[in-house]
Amino acid sequence: MKAVGYKKSLPVDAADALIDFETVKPQPAGRDIRVAVRAISANPVDYKVRKRAAPPEGETKILGYDAAGVVDAVGPDVTLFRAGDEVYYAGSIQRQGTNSEFHLVDERIVGRKPKTLSFAQAAALPLTSITAWELLFDRLGAVPGKSVDPRTLVIVGGAGGVGSILTQLARRLTGLTVVATASRPQSQKWCLDLGAHAVIDHALPMKEQIDSLRLPPVALVASLTNTGDHYKALAEIIAPQGKYGLIDDPAEFNVSVFKGKSVSVHWESMFTRSSFQTLDMIGQHALLNDVADLIDKGVLRTTLDQTFGTINATNLKRAHALLESGKSRGKIVLEGW
C-alpha cells in the first residue's frame, strides 16, 4: 500500500522531510478495524512529532491522526463496526498514522462519519472535535444545554483547528458568552462567522479589550496556542475561582500566577484515553457519534478551510509548512491517492 512517512527529523523544506513509500497492508486483530483511508487532515501535532521524534534507525514512521474512510476489514473482537461502514476518527499517537492507504485503529476511538459530509469535510473534524469537547466539558466543566450561563469563555486562538470547533460547541451547546482571540482581520471574521459573540486581538493588551466589552466574568479560559506568551495576561483577566485550560507545549509556564485567585489549571490531550487504554476509552466513540449527529442536524459545521490535493509527500509538506507558520485557519485536508 502507499504511505507517506519520514526516516529522520528534518526541517520541512528538506527534500526528505516527508517521503512517499510502499509498505505492507496491516492485518487487524483484537478490537482493531482496518480503514481504507479516503481523506486525512493535518494538525500541529503532525509537525511537532516529525521535528522531535525520529524513528529507530532503518524504520519509517507514518504520521497523521485524522482520517475518514471505509471499514475494509475487522478484527475478531470488533462489535461496533463491520466492513463497508463509513467512519471518521483520530488515531493513537503510539501507532502508525493515517497517512497511508489502509490504517488500523481501535474501534473504541472511531465514530460513524456524518452522513451529510464528504470524506474530506469529515476528515477535518475528529482530532479537533475530541480535543475541544473534552476541554470544554470534561476539563473546564462547562454545562451543555442552552440555559443562561452568567460566565464568559475566552478562546485564545479561535481561528485555529481546535478553536474553530470549540467556538461552535460553546455557542451552540452552552449558555456561555464566547469571546475568541485572533490577530488578523480574516481570522477575526472567521471566528464571528462560527458564532463568537466578540473577538479581541491577542497581539494587543487583552485586559483593556475585555474590560471595554463589559461582559460577564471571564470564568473559563481555553488557551490553544502560544500559551507561554499569553498566560500572564490571561491571569489578570480570569475571574477568581476560574478554570484555565491549555493544550499546547509552553516552554515556560509558571502556575503560581493563578494561585491568588484560586484558579485551577487543566491540561487536555485527546491522546490520553488511547495511550493509556483508559476504562472510558469508548467515550471517544460516543463523542464522535454525538458530533456526527450535531453535524447532520445542522447545529455544527465542518471546519475545513483548504484542500491541498491528493495524499502525498509534496502536498503534506505544504500542509506542515503552513501549520508551522502559525497562519493557518480552520483545517487543511488532503483527499485520495
Side-chain angles (χ1 to χ4, degrees):
M1 67 173 184
K2 295 178 181 178
V4 180
Y6 70 105
K7 293 180 179 293
K8 296 181 180 180
S9 293
L10 298 169
V12 71
D13 57 357
D16 292 336
L18 292 171
I19 58 172
D20 297 304
F21 73 107
E22 293 273 343
T23 188
V24 177
K25 183 190 296 186
Q27 298 301 316
R31 297 194 72 172
D32 279 346
I33 61 174
R34 187 173 67 198
V35 178
V37 176
R38 299 287 185 83
I40 58 99
S41 72
N43 293 282
V45 65
D46 296 56
Y47 76 75
K48 291 176 182 178
V49 172
R50 190 200 84 240
K51 290 171 72 172
R52 66 188 182 204
E57 185 68 29
E59 295 185 17
T60 306
K61 183 174 180 60
I62 302 172
L63 293 170
Y65 304 100
D66 272 332
V70 179
V71 177
D72 169 69
V74 302
D77 301 326
V78 168
T79 61
L80 302 175
F81 298 100
R82 59 185 179 184
D85 287 345
E86 296 184 351
V87 296
Y88 76 140
Y89 61 94
S92 167
I93 200 166
Q94 297 187 336
R95 305 181 69 174
Q96 289 283 45
T98 57
N99 298 341
S100 56
E101 280 190 281
F102 296 90
H103 182 249
L104 295 184
V105 61
D106 190 300
E107 64 171 346
R108 289 170 290 180
I109 58 172
V110 179
R112 70 159 188 86
K113 184 182 79 65
K115 294 182 176 67
T116 55
L117 296 186
S118 67
F119 286 104
Q121 291 169 325
L125 289 167
L127 186 146
T128 53
S129 294
I130 295 168
T131 301
W133 189 292
E134 291 183 351
L135 179 61
L136 182 62
F137 298 119
D138 299 340
R139 314 296 175 231
L140 297 179
V143 180
K146 287 299 291 181
S147 57
V148 175
D149 189 328
R151 301 179 296 171
T152 293
L153 164 68
V154 170
I155 302 172
V156 182
V162 175
S164 294
I165 194 69
L166 179 56
T167 298
Q168 295 182 70
L169 291 173
R171 182 63 191 271
R172 305 302 179 199
L173 302 186
T174 79
L176 292 163
T177 298
V178 181
V179 177
T181 82
S183 59
R184 295 178 295 147
Q186 58 267 44
S187 298
Q188 293 167 354
K189 182 180 184 301
W190 176 269
C191 293
L192 291 170
D193 289 346
L194 290 173
H197 290 93
V199 181
I200 63 173
D201 186 345
H202 52 241
L204 301 173
M206 288 190 278
K207 189 175 188 305
E208 291 87 340
Q209 296 176 78
I210 288 289
D211 289 346
S212 69
L213 292 172
R214 302 184 182 278
L215 300 172
V218 177
L220 307 176
V221 171
S223 184
L224 309 180
T225 184
N226 297 117
T227 290
D229 296 332
H230 301 308
Y231 78 94
K232 292 177 181 176
L234 293 163
E236 296 180 18
I237 292 168
I238 198 167
Q241 303 180 88
K243 295 183 178 182
Y244 183 97
L246 65 158
I247 67 170
D248 61 340
D249 308 287
E252 189 268 334
F253 184 70
N254 186 348
V255 295
S256 66
V257 299
F258 298 106
K259 181 180 179 181
K261 292 182 176 179
S262 296
V263 169
S264 57
V265 176
H266 304 261
W267 290 94
E268 161 57 24
S269 170
M270 59 78 55
F271 293 117
T272 297
R273 282 168 156 164
S274 57
S275 293
F276 294 93
Q277 299 281 298
T278 60
L279 293 176
D280 66 346
M281 183 171 161
I282 200 170
Q284 291 188 347
H285 164 73
L287 187 165
L288 287 170
N289 283 346
D290 286 344
V291 170
D293 288 339
L294 291 166
I295 290 282
D296 289 340
K297 291 175 182 176
V299 177
L300 303 176
R301 76 184 208 199
T302 182
T303 54
L304 168 62
D305 183 53
Q306 298 184 72
T307 54
F308 272 22
T310 55
I311 305 167
N312 60 46
T314 298
N315 290 337
L316 273 167
K317 283 196 284 187
R318 287 176 56 216
H320 281 220
L322 181 54
L323 289 170
E324 289 184 45
S325 75
K327 295 180 180 179
S328 62
R329 183 183 67 179
K331 292 299 296 292
I332 305 164
V333 170
L334 291 79
E335 183 177 19
W337 296 91

